[in-house]
Amino acid sequence: MGSFLSHLKDTNWIDWKAWVCTCCCPGYVFAKVAYSKLQDDSYRLGVIWCCPCIFAFWYMKAVQRLEDGILNRILACIWTSFCSLCALYIGAVEEGIDPIEEGKACVQLAIKVAMIDRG
């Protein structure tokens, strides 16, 4: 339990970039971190969306500094169930998500989509 609590204590809780991304687009944060950490398995998460452990699995993959033990897995399940926004925030901090850069990338994608640009 100590390592789980210490990783919460060691988290930078005042990273405005991570909070902006987490509060404005939590689904985007989940998808971006999932793709970064799970690669091809990130696409398969949609198939098993009904499993109650999916968010805890995501969290354990997102937070690499967290030791992989049964107690940490149980605590991750409880943490992601009761404080999902905070869990997403920690994933955003770990990934280093920048809302300005992500916004630019989304605008560029929107332009490509509007222009049907395959390049």
Side-chain angles (χ1 to χ4, degrees):
M1 186 166 183
S3 68
F4 193 86
L5 294 177
S6 67
H7 103 276
L8 294 177
K9 187 181 109 188
D10 294 341
T11 297
N12 176 15
W13 289 99
I14 54 172
D15 183 343
W16 71 271
K17 293 178 180 181
W19 276 121
V20 167
C21 289
T22 302
C23 292
C24 293
C25 302
Y28 184 85
V29 170
F30 182 87
K32 180 162 179 64
V33 173
Y35 180 72
S36 173
K37 302 297 183 184
L38 300 172
Q39 297 297 310
D40 285 343
D41 281 343
S42 65
Y43 304 111
R44 297 177 188 104
L45 288 178
V47 176
I48 55 168
W49 64 269
C50 58
C51 179
C53 300
I54 191 171
F55 199 17
F57 171 75
W58 175 91
Y59 189 75
M60 291 297 292
K61 294 296 264 184
V63 184
Q64 296 294 317
R65 60 190 160 108
L66 188 56
E67 295 173 14
D68 186 26
I70 190 69
L71 183 58
N72 283 342
R73 291 177 188 184
I74 292 167
L75 291 172
C77 195
I78 294 167
W79 174 248
T80 56
S81 295
F82 291 107
C83 200
S84 56
L85 192 66
C86 293
L88 281 170
Y89 169 80
I90 292 175
V93 168
E94 294 285 320
E95 188 65 24
I97 297 177
D98 183 346
I100 296 168
E101 294 303 315
E102 296 301 326
K104 287 178 186 177
C106 289
V107 168
Q108 290 173 348
L109 178 61
I111 292 169
K112 287 180 184 177
V113 168
M115 303 301 286
I116 311 172
D117 181 7
R118 294 180 2 173

